[in-house]
Amino acid sequence: MNNFGYTRASDVADAVRQIAADPAAKFIAGGTNLIDLMKENVARPSRLIDITHLPLNKVEETKDGGLRIGALVPNSDLSYHPQIEARYPLLASAILAGASQQLRNMASTGGNLLQRTRCFYFYDTTTPCNKREPGSGCSAIEGINRGHAILGTSKHCIATHPSDMCVALAALEACVLATGKDGERSIKFADFHRLPDDTPNIDTNLRSDEIITAIKLPPKGFAANYSYLKIRDRLSYAFALVSIAVGLDIADGTIKEARLALGGVAHKPWRNHEAEAQLSGAPATRETFMRAAEIELARRGILRTLTQAARGTPQSQADKRIK
Ligand SMILES: Cc1cc2nc3c(=O)[nH]c(=O)nc-3n(C[C@H](O)[C@H](O)[C@H](O)COP(=O)(O)OP(=O)(O)OC[C@H]3O[C@@H](n4cnc5c(N)ncnc54)[C@H](O)[C@@H]3O)c2cc1C
Ligand code: SF4
């Protein structure tokens, strides 16, 4: 690990001032990803700017009937928050599918968005990796790439975004609130993470002088018919090979609106607008779900997630049977 400095931000304006003055510095929140990257010598910040004392740890109702989630709300608090459990259970379910209870106690909402890929080569500094060292090459393309991206890849990188929470946020059409030198802006979730193209070293469209202050959820939470399915090597403490977040709005057996996002298959959470269009206006039946699930590699997963959502199956990340 390199030597690094440590300072504390006194408020959001101070955090922005500090990061703008030292582009090699990094914010630290829960530290569950950044410290690992520093120990592996993948991240070498000049300084850690501690933001854990900023007042960004509340879940508040917004004027339009949605919710504003502070960037420092721990993942576990968020998943058990009464408003999230009641109105956005898809989000609660996705969060509980990730990591372990201890990690979720430390991990923050903002940090979860910015966690880096789990590509082994990215962590192995003895191998070429365009994300870690631009221009060095991609070891995964010809190497061990089980669990890498199948959608939106480039010849420079086939890494996936590892977050579970972000797949649900993509399906729910959340917004990311960020503050920089020019004030606060709102970024649609679909525009927050990037595809690798020829700059896989850049994961998101967050500017280097910006801090994430909150996530905004719109009023609609698909609380009656939702499902988050995570397919992985073990039932807990493993990243997704593929995950599927579904929200359905069903009235009289007909799907009025559908949301479907995939995780573990691309450099960003992957909204499947084509499948959503197939589902909208159609009866909530197995035939409809099979037509919508025509993506070869995720077909059975999509079919199962849609079936669980339509049946209103109670969601427990410990019990994956269709009831
Ligand atoms: C063993 C293990 C298993 C895991 N399994 C899963 C899993 O199955 N599913 C899953 O989704 N995740 C999993 N995780 C990842 C975990 O969810 C993330 O590490 C965590 O969410 C990161 O949050 P943090 O607050 O600790 O971020 P930190 O490590 O503090 O920061 C991460 C990055 O975000 C930046 N940052 C943090 N907050 C802000 C902010 N407000 N504004 C701007 N920049 C900011 C930091 O500078 C850093 O670059 C796992 C992690 C570990 C170690
Ligand atoms: S897939 Fe991306 S992160 Fe993995 S080795 Fe290739 S460039 Fe690096």
Side-chain angles (χ1 to χ4, degrees), residues 34-99:
L34 183 55
I35 297 295
D36 278 357
L37 291 167
M38 289 169 68
K39 285 196 245 173
E40 298 292 337
N41 214 23
V42 176
R44 290 182 290 273
S46 57
R47 183 157 55 108
L48 294 182
I49 305 168
D50 185 343
I51 58 171
T52 55
H53 292 75
L54 302 186
L56 302 174
N57 57 358
K58 291 194 182 65
V59 178
E60 295 161 307
E61 293 196 39
T62 56
K63 283 194 189 123
D64 69 357
L67 286 185
R68 181 188 165 110
I69 302 161
L72 290 171
V73 175
N75 287 180
S76 47
D77 288 14
L78 189 58
S79 62
Y80 296 123
H81 191 282
Q83 291 265 24
I84 299 294
E85 284 186 324
R87 296 175 53 198
Y88 305 93
L90 174 60
L91 180 56
S93 184
I95 294 171
L96 291 175

Side-chain angles (χ1 to χ4, degrees), residues 19 25-37 43 48-49 51-52 54 56 71-72 75 94-95 97-100 103-104 106-116 118 123 161-166 177 206-207 210-214 228 230 232 236-240:
I19 201 89
K26 284 263 180 209
F27 293 130
I28 183 146
T32 61
N33 189 218
L34 183 55
I35 297 295
D36 278 357
L37 291 167
L48 294 182
I49 305 168
I51 58 171
T52 55
L54 302 186
L56 302 174
L72 290 171
N75 287 180
I95 294 171
S100 64
L103 281 159
R104 293 193 296 266
M106 289 300 293
S108 66
T109 302
N112 192 308
L113 264 58
L114 295 174
Q115 63 175 293
R116 307 214 67 190
R118 291 283 155 173
Y123 282 80
H161 191 264
S163 168
D164 291 291
M165 186 180 87
C166 290
L177 300 183
L206 191 74
R207 296 188 200 119
E210 285 179 319
I211 180 170
I212 297 172
T213 51
Y228 185 74
K230 180 172 179 182
R232 49 188 156 170
S236 73
Y237 210 46
F239 288 92

Side-chain angles (χ1 to χ4, degrees), residues 117 119 121-122 128-131 137-140 148 156-159 200:
T117 184
C119 172
Y121 302 105
F122 177 67
C129 169
N130 286 325
K131 188 180 277 297
C138 171
S139 302
H148 280 68
H156 304 287
C157 180
I158 56 169

Side-chain angles (χ1 to χ4, degrees), residues 233-295:
D233 289 329
R234 294 184 301 271
L235 243 194
S236 73
Y237 210 46
F239 288 92
L241 294 168
V242 60
S243 68
I244 302 136
V246 160
L248 298 176
D249 181 353
I250 303 175
D252 300 325
T254 300
I255 301 166
K256 282 168 58 192
E257 192 180 354
R259 301 278 178 80
L260 198 156
L262 300 171
V265 294
H267 202 252
K268 59 188 286 183
W270 193 268
R271 259 297 278 285
N272 191 331
H273 294 287
E274 213 180 309
E276 291 175 2
Q278 289 254 12
L279 291 161
S280 294
T285 60
R286 186 174 169 85
E287 290 66 39
T288 301
F289 300 157
M290 282 176 76
R291 266 199 308 280
E294 278 307 316
I295 301 169

Side-chain angles (χ1 to χ4, degrees), residues 297-310:
L297 284 159
R299 186 188 295 159
R300 276 181 291 178
I302 292 175
L303 183 60
R304 183 165 146 188
T305 318
L306 286 166
T307 306
Q308 283 186 177

